[in-house]
């Protein structure tokens, strides 16, 4: 069967890599086969070519890998979330407001918090802080006294005092009671300072969410108060004459909730609790639904954990309607709805760009028509199996070739054949497996044993990044991210491969990819060219990936570049941050690099003394060592 020559187009790449499905209108493929990015979803008139950004990055002397942030995508996402809630509120005649609170932990970079404060101001988009450090960041960056500043997380005296000071300064700072033990301290500090705080209480809902991150909601949640504990809070506040301070009900079901039914269930339950607090006499104003608004990483629009079975508009409508339905029935005034959406706000705005260093392609050596006369019998058997292979005996030949391969290995272990003969046998074996892989595609149904064959035959593309540093969730919780080449998309990708990173850890790889039918074990890739770099991108990495990463194999922070797309389709470089140097990384693990250098000087001097090197060679070696200390931790060409 000769393959029919087919014309490949940019459009076919768009489909192959599901760009429309996961790209949310921000990504597209140009006619000339380059991946484009725009800050106006669905409008590519002034989109920017990612290879062009890469060229600009390199002209500025920054090496791959690079984390690229598109500043105005973040602005767009903030607008979309707020506008969508405002539309739902208007359409449904909801009588309360919406207020966002960006959870700092999702991406703590100053740039992100700054964008929320700058672009979010017109919507009074607030912040959520889960620790003292996050509150200190929020207080330093924030000016908007109409937006909320929600304080979650376990609070010590210092945290509480900071929150009270924020209140004094006029901020709408809410101290959310997460654990029963916090309340006496909050009451005591408020009285001591003479400040009436705004208080919230975090409820443990019985609604249970599925998904990888959902452990933080539901009965098993480690945070939040159950019904008895909340009633106790009310009684204590009443006794302290502070019940009017309790204004907010909070819950957080977990991040990335893919199923709208779970979101609705939680909204309904929480609204009942809210009405209950009103009935108890609390001065309620805010219902805070926490995070959970999911990102469709694989573009399937399903309740699969890497996806979501709802749109942003549906989410907003369902939330607003859910709150109204319960509260209208109870005759309770409509509260300001707060969501602490983080992932959905920042995921799209960063992408990791990296080059491929090499590929190990699966290609057995060509075989002769017949084997030489004196070939070992086991190898002859392997060869005969290969010759006999056809569409009708695929399974049988698969069993035979495995059997004879083991015979060859045993013969080698028993000293009956040479290492060279063993290599020859393995080559015949792999050629057989390769042909079985081709035939298997034409089988009406694939025998179970042959299912993994595509994966076994895949190429390995060695890529210049660290999974542990840049895509930690891909490793830690099996999260899927869209990954694809950013150029050559007018060419058919003829290889199938997995990606290996440059850590020497066998977990340092990506072998699970997005797919419309579930999860794919390999991804389509182009053949490498001799004198041309091949660039890939991992997308939607703006949420959680930037600071969860670690220094496995001492690979550090990547270079970071921020770009702003202009109306006329050009772009400005608005920020660059050099990644860690080797020296930086070593100091993180408590090396004293001056001391290292001193010791190395001595080592080199000893070598001179022992006449292994000349003083001039010593100078060269020391120079190389120093350059290494100041260099990037990734592969430099
Ligand atoms: C992590 C977290 C969030 C963010 O959730 P997303 O799903 O990323 O929007 C919001 N609120 C709290 C309390 C959190 O812990």
């Amino acid at each position: 069967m000769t393959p029919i020559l087919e014309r490949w187009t940019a459009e076919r790449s768009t489909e192959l890599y599901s760009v429309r499905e996961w790209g949310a209108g921000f990504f597209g493929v140009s006619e000339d086969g380059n991946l484009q990015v725009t800050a106006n979803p669905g409008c590519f008139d002034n989109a920017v070519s990612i290879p062009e950004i890469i060229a600009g990055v390199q002209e500025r002397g920054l090496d791959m890998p690079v984390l690229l942030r598109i500043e105005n995508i973040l602005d767009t996402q903030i607008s979309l979330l707020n506008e969508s809630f405002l539309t739902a509120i208007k359409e449904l005649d909801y009588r309360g407001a919406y207020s966002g609170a960006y959870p700092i932990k999702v991406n703590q970079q100053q740039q992100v918090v700054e964008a929320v404060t700058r672009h979010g101001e017109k919507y009074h988009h607030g912040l959520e802080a889960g620790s003292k450090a996050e509150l200190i960041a929020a207080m330093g960056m924030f000016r908007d006294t109409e937006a909320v500043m929600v304080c979650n997380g376990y609070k010590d005296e210092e945290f509480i005092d900071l929150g009270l000071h924020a209140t004094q300064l006029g901020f709408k700072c809410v101290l959310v009671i997460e654990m029963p033990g916090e309340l006496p301290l909050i009451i005591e500090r408020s009285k001591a300072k003479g400040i009436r705080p705004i208080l919230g209480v975090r409820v443990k809902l019985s609604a249970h969410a599925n998904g990888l991150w959902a452990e933080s909601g539901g009965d098993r949640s480690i945070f939040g108060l159950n019904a008895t504990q909340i009633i106790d809070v009310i009684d204590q506040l009443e006794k302290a004459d502070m019940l009017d301070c309790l204004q907010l009900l909070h819950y957080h079901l977990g991040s990335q909730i893919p199923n709208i039914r779970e979101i609705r269930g939680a909204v309904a339950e929480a609204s009942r609790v809210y009405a209950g607090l009103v009935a108890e006499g609390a001065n309620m104003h805010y219902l805070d639904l926490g995070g959970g608004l999911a990102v469709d990483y694989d573009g399937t629009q399903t309740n699969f954990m890497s996806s979501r079975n709802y749109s942003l508009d549906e989410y907003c409508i369902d939330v607003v309607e859910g709150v109204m339905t319960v509260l209208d029935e109870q005759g309770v005034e409509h509260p300001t709805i707060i969501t602490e959406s983080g992932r959905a706000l920042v995921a799209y705005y960063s992408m990791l760009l990296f080059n491929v260093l090499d590929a190990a392609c699966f290609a057995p050596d060509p075989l002769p028509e017949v084997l030489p006369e004196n070939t070992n019998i086991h190898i002859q058997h392997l060869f005969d199996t290969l010759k006999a292979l056809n569409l009708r005996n695929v399974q049988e030949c698969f069993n035979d070739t495995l059997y004879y391969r083991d015979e060859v290995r045993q013969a080698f272990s028993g000293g009956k054949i040479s290492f060279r003969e063993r290599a020859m046998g393995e080559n015949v074996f792999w050629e057989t497996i390769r042909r079985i892989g081709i035939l298997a595609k034409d089988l009406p149904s694939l025998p179970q044993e042959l299912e993994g064959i595509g994966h076994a035959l895949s190429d390995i593309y060695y890529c210049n990044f660290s999974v542990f540093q840049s895509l930690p969730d891909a490793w830690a919780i099996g999260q899927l991210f869209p990954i694809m080449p950013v150029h050559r998309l007018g060419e058919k990708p003829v290889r199938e491969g997995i990606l290996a990173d440059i850590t020497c850890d066998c977990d340092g790889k990506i072998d699970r990819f997005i797919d419309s039918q579930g999860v794919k074990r390999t991804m389509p890739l182009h053949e490498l060219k001799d004198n041309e770099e091949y660039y890939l991108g991992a997308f939607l990495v703006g949420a959680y990936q930037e600071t969860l990463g670690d220094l496995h194999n001492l690979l550090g922070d990547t270079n970071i570049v921020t770009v702003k797309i202009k109306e006329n389709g050009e772009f400005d470089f608005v920020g660059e941050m050099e990644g860690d140097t080797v020296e930086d990384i070593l100091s993180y693990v408590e090396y004293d690099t001056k001391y290292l250098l001193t010791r190395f000087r001595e080592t080199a001097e000893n070598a001179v003394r022992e006449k292994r090197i000349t003083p001039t060679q010593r100078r060269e070696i020391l120079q190389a060592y120093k350059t290494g200390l100041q260099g990037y931790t990734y592969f430099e060409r």
Side-chain angles (χ1 to χ4, degrees):
M1 256 180 292
T2 43
I4 306 155
L5 271 185
E6 41 189 350
R7 211 175 77 81
W8 194 259
T9 56
E11 173 56 26
R12 294 189 64 180
S13 286
T14 308
E15 286 165 15
L16 181 67
Y17 293 108
S18 307
V19 181
R20 276 192 207 94
E21 288 72 18
W22 61 259
F26 289 116
F27 297 92
V29 181
S30 65
E31 287 289 315
D32 56 352
N34 292 320
L35 192 66
Q36 300 174 292
V37 55
T38 173
N40 294 330
C43 170
F44 289 90
D45 295 343
N46 41 25
V48 168
S49 140
I50 292 175
E52 230 172 274
I53 299 179
I54 292 179
V57 166
Q58 285 175 335
E59 282 161 15
R60 284 162 178 77
L62 292 177
D63 281 311
M64 296 283 120
V66 165
L67 184 80
L68 172 65
R69 300 182 179 141
I70 309 287
E71 188 178 85
N72 25 8
I73 286 188
L74 187 52
D75 295 349
T76 303
Q77 289 297 80
I78 294 171
S79 296
L80 283 175
L81 177 65
N82 282 282
E83 296 290 346
S84 192
F85 263 111
L86 294 178
T87 306
I89 284 173
K90 203 160 157 223
E91 265 175 29
L92 296 167
D93 277 327
Y94 185 76
R95 291 184 303 280
Y98 167 74
S99 175
Y102 171 70
I104 296 179
K105 75 151 193 269
V106 181
N107 188 326
Q108 304 94 332
Q109 308 291 329
Q110 178 173 322
Q111 205 177 33
V112 177
V113 176
E114 219 159 19
V116 173
T117 52
R118 180 176 25 79
H119 188 82
E121 186 151 26
K122 62 174 174 247
Y123 302 109
H124 300 300
H125 204 102
L127 293 171
E128 184 267 349
S131 68
K132 268 186 282 191
E134 289 182 359
L135 178 58
I136 286 171
M139 286 169 74
M141 300 294 298
F142 225 51
R143 290 282 154 79
D144 189 348
T145 49
E146 289 193 37
V148 288
M149 198 185 267
V150 181
C151 300
N152 293 319
Y154 194 64
K155 294 165 204 69
D156 62 5
E157 187 171 318
E158 199 183 342
F159 195 161
I160 293 167
D161 282 1
L162 278 168
L164 293 172
H165 290 314
T167 308
Q168 266 180 313
L169 293 172
F171 287 115
K172 285 207 179 105
C173 179
V174 187
L175 292 171
V176 177
I177 300 156
E178 301 241 6
M179 278 163 263
E182 287 175 336
L183 184 58
L185 192 57
I186 292 175
I187 293 176
E188 183 204 312
R189 296 308 300 160
S190 309
K191 298 230 149 136
K193 290 188 173 292
I195 299 162
R196 290 196 84 74
I198 308 175
L199 299 181
V201 62
R202 178 164 178 170
V203 60
K204 247 187 225 190
L205 295 180
S206 55
H208 176 66
N210 290 312
L212 283 173
W213 299 269
E215 300 284 299
S216 40
D219 277 339
R220 287 178 305 155
S221 157
I222 50 172
F223 290 114
L225 307 185
N226 61 30
T228 329
Q229 291 165 324
I230 292 181
I231 291 298
D232 192 46
V233 164
I234 290 173
D235 293 345
Q236 283 188 55
L237 283 173
E238 188 140 43
K239 216 156 80 199
D241 195 21
M242 284 175 67
L243 191 53
D244 61 309
C245 295
L246 182 58
Q247 300 185 11
L248 178 145
L249 177 69
H250 176 261
Y251 72 86
H252 174 63
L253 217 47
S255 196
Q256 185 70 15
I257 308 294
N259 194 344
I260 191 74
R261 286 215 308 277
E262 275 151 13
I263 289 167
R264 294 167 69 143
V267 166
E269 186 184 345
S271 300
R272 298 259 165 222
V273 178
Y274 184 91
L277 292 177
V278 172
E280 287 288 332
N283 183 22
M284 299 302 286
H285 284 303
Y286 303 100
L287 178 55
D288 179 350
L289 321 183
L293 174 56
V295 165
D296 194 0
Y297 290 97
D298 65 16
T300 58
Q301 295 180 35
T302 59
N303 63 1
F304 186 57
M305 67 197 175
S306 297
S307 185
R308 64 177 193 194
N309 64 3
Y310 52 90
S311 66
L312 174 61
D313 288 344
E314 263 177 272
Y315 174 84
C316 297
I317 296 254
D318 285 2
V319 161
V320 174
E321 199 172 46
V323 174
M324 273 176 93
T325 309
V326 172
L327 295 190
D328 283 349
E329 186 195 301
Q330 309 262 320
V332 172
E333 236 177 89
H334 295 169
T336 293
I337 295 172
I338 296 175
T339 71
E340 300 168 351
S341 307
R343 179 187 298 277
L345 226 48
V346 296
Y348 291 90
Y349 118 111
S350 309
M351 65 194 91
L352 180 75
L353 302 171
F354 50 93
N355 52 332
V356 174
L357 299 171
D358 202 356
C361 290
F362 183 84
D365 291 341
L367 293 172
E369 263 308 300
V370 285
L371 291 179
E373 280 284 314
N374 55 353
T375 304
N376 173 279
I377 182 71
H378 302 299
I379 299 173
Q380 190 66 53
H381 283 150
L382 273 173
F383 195 74
D384 294 342
T385 307
L386 172 62
K387 288 280 157 187
L389 176 65
N390 64 48
L391 201 51
R392 283 177 304 280
N393 64 7
V394 172
Q395 175 78 60
E396 185 189 332
C397 286
F398 180 69
N399 297 341
D400 288 353
T401 198
L402 280 176
Y403 177 79
Y404 293 127
R405 193 260 328 249
D406 291 346
E407 296 269 285
V408 167
R409 288 182 174 176
Q410 265 170 27
F412 173 71
S413 301
K416 296 196 181 69
I417 63 171
S418 71
F419 191 46
R420 183 168 287 272
E421 284 174 307
R422 174 179 160 179
M424 187 178 178
E426 304 247 341
N427 189 51
V428 180
F429 168 76
W430 281 112
E431 175 59 15
T432 313
I433 294 291
R434 187 181 72 85
R435 291 203 205 161
I436 288 175
I438 295 170
L439 288 176
K441 289 190 185 129
D442 291 326
L443 288 180
S445 73
L446 201 59
Q448 205 186 352
E449 276 190 298
L450 298 183
E451 270 170 11
I453 214 162
H455 189 234
L457 295 179
S458 61
D459 299 335
I460 304 171
Y461 275 54
Y462 295 93
C463 302
N464 196 11
F465 76 105
S466 156
V467 170
F468 307 96
Q469 174 62 241
S470 295
L471 301 172
D473 282 346
W475 164 69
I477 51 177
Q479 147 120 52
L480 300 177
F481 293 97
I483 298 177
M484 66 178 288
V486 301
H487 59 156
R488 296 177 62 184
L489 295 165
E491 257 175 72
K492 182 176 181 179
V494 292
R495 314 290 320 182
E496 279 288 328
I498 65 165
L499 309 181
D501 74 4
I502 60 168
T503 66
C504 49
D505 192 311
C506 57
D507 278 341
K509 63 173 185 220
I510 306 232
D511 61 358
R512 296 170 71 254
F513 301 94
I514 64 163
D515 181 49
S516 55
Q517 309 297 322
V519 180
K520 259 191 326 200
R521 301 306 305 274
T522 59
M523 69 172 282
L525 291 156
H526 298 89
E527 218 142 0
L528 295 186
K529 291 185 185 165
D530 276 344
N531 294 311
E532 193 186 300
E533 286 280 14
Y534 184 47
Y535 294 106
L536 304 177
F539 299 87
L540 278 49
V541 300
Y544 298 103
Q545 305 312 295
E546 296 187 22
T547 44
L548 280 178
D550 71 14
L551 302 177
H552 208 44
N553 275 116
L554 299 186
L555 292 163
D557 273 345
T558 64
N559 292 323
I560 301 176
V561 167
T562 307
V563 154
K564 183 170 181 173
I565 302 175
K566 296 198 288 190
E567 289 297 326
N568 62 2
E570 290 172 7
F571 57 93
D572 287 335
F573 281 88
V574 292
E576 79 183 41
M577 249 186 293
E578 275 185 69
D580 289 321
T581 61
V582 170
E583 200 164 17
D584 293 335
I585 290 296
L586 287 174
S587 69
Y588 297 158
V589 284
E590 295 178 4
Y591 281 88
D592 176 347
T593 46
K594 282 214 183 84
Y595 177 63
L596 269 184
L597 193 57
T598 309
R599 281 187 61 121
F600 188 69
R601 278 177 197 284
E602 288 166 12
T603 305
E605 192 53 41
N606 287 340
V608 174
R609 217 170 290 147
E610 290 160 12
K611 305 230 179 319
R612 258 178 285 137
I613 56 170
T614 65
T616 320
Q617 284 172 325
R618 176 180 183 269
R619 195 172 79 195
E620 258 172 54
I621 292 170
L622 278 178
Q623 191 50 49
Y625 191 82
K626 280 193 239 171
T627 309
L629 273 178
Q630 281 146 22
Y632 200 20
T633 58
Y634 292 89
F635 193 96
E636 297 168 286
R637 290 243 203 247

